[in-house]
Amino acid sequence: DAFWQFRPAEPGDDIKLVDWRRSARSDEPYVRQTEWQLAQTVLFWVDPSQSMQFGSNGLTKYDRASVLALATAILLSRQGERFGFAGGDIPSGTGSAQLERLEFALTSATASADFGTPNVRGMRPGGKIAFFSDFFGDLNAIERAVNTAAARGVGGLFCMILDPVEAAFPFKGRTKFESMSGALTYDSQQAQGVAEDYKAALADRQNALAGLAKTSGWRCMVHHTGDPAIDALTEIYQAIGGQG
């Protein structure tokens, strides 16, 4: 925890971080920033796309991703670690006020495109970022985002969120498949006939993400919304540098 610099206090900073001796020489409070604190800044990107609004069991993928991101932020806050929302809309910080900002950003996000592209704006060198998505979008765009992060020394995590129906593909007979926006449709006379191709394509996407993560020194995990959130939370917290 070597001393790095003083910086002006920001909304959400824990009062325990304020250096009162340095602050006494100024009209505003200053916090004592360390190399460890800088390295532990974590950003979250939760895919707000239409695809993430799907849910076969009353719980959408976006709902579960938001819960996991917010729960992880709570654990980070308890350790005094800084966190924020990728995109630069919420500067990194810690404490209850910062948690409220993150919660507001998650609950007020609006879906637009069918599939999302990771946002990496606001990353700090040596920090970390967690992507929550189904990652059904353009793989090249995902790769560019990760390469940008890795070039800045940013570690990260892919958390692929899937609905149980997407994982199992239980469809049979005549079935009409439609994207959440309705822009993409596909009619199948025998849905079971495309099951193997679908599962192979899903496995290819998961393998591609795992390979990209390995190359970049990141972690990759898959979570189904039908599974307990606590198991995923433990893995996420450990992957992005939790101390416990």
Side-chain angles (χ1 to χ4, degrees):
D1 292 1
F3 171 71
W4 184 60
Q5 68 174 8
F6 290 114
R7 64 166 176 78
E10 299 174 355
D13 280 331
D14 194 313
I15 193 68
K16 292 182 293 185
L17 300 178
V18 175
D19 188 287
W20 298 109
R21 180 174 297 179
R22 172 62 182 84
S23 300
R25 303 200 302 268
S26 176
D27 294 330
E28 59 182 334
Y30 276 77
V31 299
R32 190 179 184 89
Q33 193 170 36
T34 66
E35 292 179 355
W36 177 83
Q37 287 175 323
L38 185 64
Q40 292 300 313
T41 298
V42 178
L43 294 184
F44 298 97
W45 176 73
V46 179
D47 184 353
S49 67
Q50 293 277 1
S51 178
M52 289 292 286
Q53 305 306 314
F54 177 71
S56 65
N57 55 4
L59 177 72
T60 70
K61 292 182 286 184
Y62 184 81
D63 289 339
R64 176 54 60 85
S66 297
V67 167
L68 289 173
L70 188 59
T72 305
I74 290 172
L75 295 178
L76 292 171
S77 183
R78 289 176 179 174
Q79 296 293 329
E81 298 176 25
R82 300 171 61 79
F83 55 91
F85 209 58
D89 297 330
I90 302 180
S92 59
T94 191
S96 58
Q98 183 72 356
L99 289 170
E100 290 177 4
R101 294 187 191 94
L102 181 61
E103 180 182 14
F104 178 79
L106 290 170
T107 56
S108 61
T110 56
S112 53
D114 268 317
F115 307 108
T117 300
N119 193 328
V120 294
R121 287 193 298 115
M123 296 181 303
R124 291 186 176 185
K128 295 183 181 179
I129 190 167
F131 293 157
F132 296 84
S133 176
D134 53 22
F135 299 105
F136 288 166
D138 182 6
L139 185 60
N140 290 329
I142 298 171
E143 184 174 0
R144 286 194 297 271
V146 175
N147 288 341
T148 299
R152 300 179 188 175
V154 175
L157 165 75
F158 293 122
C159 182
M160 187 182 206
I161 309 288
L162 296 177
D163 186 273
V165 166
E166 294 173 326
F169 198 85
F171 307 104
K172 296 180 180 180
R174 184 174 182 179
T175 306
K176 181 180 181 180
F177 299 97
E178 187 175 77
S179 66
M180 294 299 293
S181 69
L184 303 173
T185 61
Y186 176 74
D187 271 312
S188 175
Q189 298 299 316
Q190 295 292 333
Q192 63 269 30
V194 299
E196 291 305 316
D197 288 341
Y198 167 83
K199 291 180 180 179
L202 180 60
D204 286 344
R205 178 54 59 102
Q206 292 174 338
N207 289 336
L209 288 174
L212 183 57
K214 184 177 181 179
T215 301
S216 305
W218 283 31
R219 293 279 295 276
C220 183
M221 59 178 287
V222 179
H223 174 67
H224 299 161
T225 59
D227 294 338
I230 187 63
D231 295 338
L233 175 60
T234 300
E235 186 173 352
I236 293 165
Y237 185 58
Q238 292 175 345
I240 60 176
Q243 303 302 304

